[in-house]
Amino acid sequence: MKVLVTYYSETGNTEKLAQGIYDGIKEAKKELIKLDEVAGVDEYDVLFIGFPVKSHGVPGKMANFIKGLPKGIKIAFFSTHGSLRGGTLAITAFYEAVTLAAHLTVLGTFGCRGKVKPEIIEGLMQKAEHKAWALEAQSASDHPDSADIKDAREFAAQMITKGRTL
């Protein structure tokens, strides 16, 4: 089995999570490649695709990549976000990702908190409709942490097992 872990990261959060996922893949040939450096995907059996949640969705660069993947390929999504784990805003991004991947075999999703750029939080604190989320995002400043990375490694192992059986 050959596996690609690819990601788009702006602050290093998603890159850190990608490394944890890469480290959790055992008994498979694996590569860790930034999204902008991916030359092709035909040789891989499973792709792990990571992105930061932006405006409750998938960043455009990653959305275009997902839409361009060949039909039937097996993928697993991972993301970082400022929301609480399992929060509505983060889950909305996974709904979008899965919709973009309707022509693919989605094995699963994994999300964890990630530090949000301070200037984004500051800007959102000035808008009443976004203040509650900005306050929530402030508490993500030490994520992804060691527990998040451990969970990411376990997620990777589960997805590899699932990928072998489908």
Side-chain angles (χ1 to χ4, degrees), residues 1 8 12 32 39 48 51 60 66 68 81 89 94 102 104 107 116 122 127 132-133 143 157 160:
M1 174 177 275
Y8 169 64
L32 176 64
F48 286 85
F51 56 89
I66 295 164
H81 49 80
L89 302 178
F94 281 130
L104 309 172
L107 301 174
V116 177
E122 290 169 18
K127 300 176 181 179
W133 183 87
H143 290 271
I160 292 299

Side-chain angles (χ1 to χ4, degrees), residues 18-75:
Q19 184 65 56
I21 286 175
Y22 178 83
D23 292 343
I25 299 169
K26 309 292 184 204
E27 302 174 18
K29 290 183 178 182
K30 59 186 179 179
E31 291 187 89
L32 176 64
I33 304 173
K34 292 179 182 180
L35 177 64
D36 291 339
E37 298 171 6
V38 173
V41 299
D42 292 336
E43 64 189 273
Y44 300 102
D45 299 301
V46 174
L47 273 63
F48 286 85
I49 300 172
F51 56 89
V53 173
K54 304 241 344 175
S55 300
H56 326 303
V58 178
K61 182 183 287 194
M62 184 56 76
N64 290 334
F65 176 76
I66 295 164
K67 288 189 280 187
L69 290 172
K71 184 178 180 178
I73 199 161
K74 297 174 190 174
I75 62 169

